[in-house]
Amino acid sequence: ETGVTQSPTHLIKTRGQQVTLRCSSQSGHNTVSWYQQALGQGPQFIFQYYREEENGRGNFPPRFSGLQFPNYSSELNVNALELDDSALYLCASSLGGPTSGSKNIQYFGAGTRLSVL
Amino acid sequence: AQSVTQLGSHVSVSEGALVLLRCNYSSSVPPYLFWYVQYPNQGLQLLLKYTTGATLVKGINGFEAEFKKSETSFHLTKPSAHMSDAAEYFCVLYTGFQKLVFGTGTRLLVSP
């Protein structure tokens, strides 16, 4: 059973650029959540995808968008990068839908560290 | 608003000493609570979870936590710290629709 993998591990971009981060879910998981973890802070929920549809969104602007593919892997896209977007981006996968409750544990990848200069 | 507050951004203990990491929550509905641990350059790993039932929850690596509704607390403890326990610990509240709300984290430092 493979765990959650994220790529790339590190990324450096300049302000105004666009970035795509990738996540492969744990085998059999159909739900992916993305989190932003700024330095010294806890992860903040960005959004979640269930069966290729967005299923909930945190307090992030529309320039943060995502996709989930039929194999349940996922992408996080950020347009018009700002300096404050510098953070560790975490992907978590789980099995279950919106009503499955906390019974389904979220399994996290190691993250992508994004630096915006 | 549903939130968690972790008291102390850093906790230092000696190897073999008791570990106590504090967490208080605010929730308008019966809470589901978790503790996650984050080792350097690794993903978050679930230590333990409380949903319903027994208020003393045992997790991996000898950690346990007690849910106290009257105190709105969910403190994490371990009787005897090990050097390998040094990491960042997050108290987490489940708010519904699989959305997790994280505390700001507590870094545990273990000295020999």
Side-chain angles (χ1 to χ4, degrees):
Chain A
E1 179 180 276
T2 57
V4 179
T5 58
Q6 294 185 242
S7 62
T9 55
H10 294 84
L11 201 53
I12 299 175
K13 291 286 187 179
T14 56
R15 195 170 48 182
Q17 285 188 310
Q18 178 266 343
V19 69
T20 298
L21 310 182
R22 295 178 174 82
C23 173
S24 293
S25 303
Q26 185 160 316
S27 177
H29 285 184
N30 57 14
T31 303
V32 173
S33 303
W34 286 91
Y35 296 81
Q36 180 195 66
Q37 185 178 11
L39 199 61
Q41 301 293 318
Q44 299 287 317
F45 176 73
I46 303 175
F47 46 55
Q48 181 183 92
Y49 279 82
Y50 169 66
R51 293 184 175 177
E52 303 177 57
E53 299 278 338
E54 187 177 293
N55 175 45
R57 188 178 185 91
N59 188 27
F60 281 82
R63 59 189 185 85
F64 285 78
S65 63
L67 282 173
Q68 187 180 30
F69 300 99
N71 66 354
Y72 302 130
S73 65
S74 177
E75 286 183 355
L76 164 65
N77 298 289
V78 187
N79 293 322
L81 283 167
E82 301 177 359
L83 298 179
D84 285 348
D85 296 333
S86 296
L88 179 68
Y89 288 85
L90 295 165
C91 166
S93 75
S94 56
L95 176 62
T99 58
S100 61
S102 69
K103 296 188 295 292
N104 295 302
I105 303 302
Q106 294 191 20
Y107 294 85
F108 285 80
T112 293
R113 186 162 298 282
L114 173 65
S115 298
V116 182
L117 306 178
Chain B
Q2 294 176 294
S3 64
V4 289
T5 301
Q6 291 184 241
L7 304 176
S9 58
H10 292 80
V11 170
S12 295
V13 299
S14 300
E15 194 172 20
L18 171 71
V19 175
L20 172 60
L21 305 183
R22 299 178 187 273
C23 172
N24 288 90
Y25 69 89
S26 174
S27 178
S28 56
V29 297
Y32 294 159
L33 293 157
F34 306 82
W35 277 97
Y36 276 85
V37 59
Q38 187 175 35
Y39 297 100
N41 301 316
Q42 294 187 32
L44 291 153
Q45 181 182 10
L46 179 69
L47 275 179
L48 48 81
K49 67 173 181 176
Y50 168 79
T51 53
T52 57
T55 56
L56 182 62
V57 180
K58 295 187 183 299
I60 62 171
N61 301 336
F63 285 93
E64 62 183 33
E66 187 171 10
F67 173 72
K68 292 187 176 181
K69 183 178 178 180
S70 61
E71 299 177 8
T72 61
S73 69
F74 190 57
H75 302 330
L76 181 70
T77 61
K78 182 174 180 177
S80 176
H82 192 272
M83 295 294 289
S84 61
D85 294 328
E88 187 91 19
Y89 291 80
F90 292 96
C91 183
V92 183
L93 174 67
Y94 174 73
T95 65
F97 297 97
Q98 298 204 29
K99 177 184 175 182
L100 302 178
V101 173
F102 285 75
T104 52
T106 297
R107 183 166 297 279
L108 177 64
L109 307 169
V110 183
S111 56

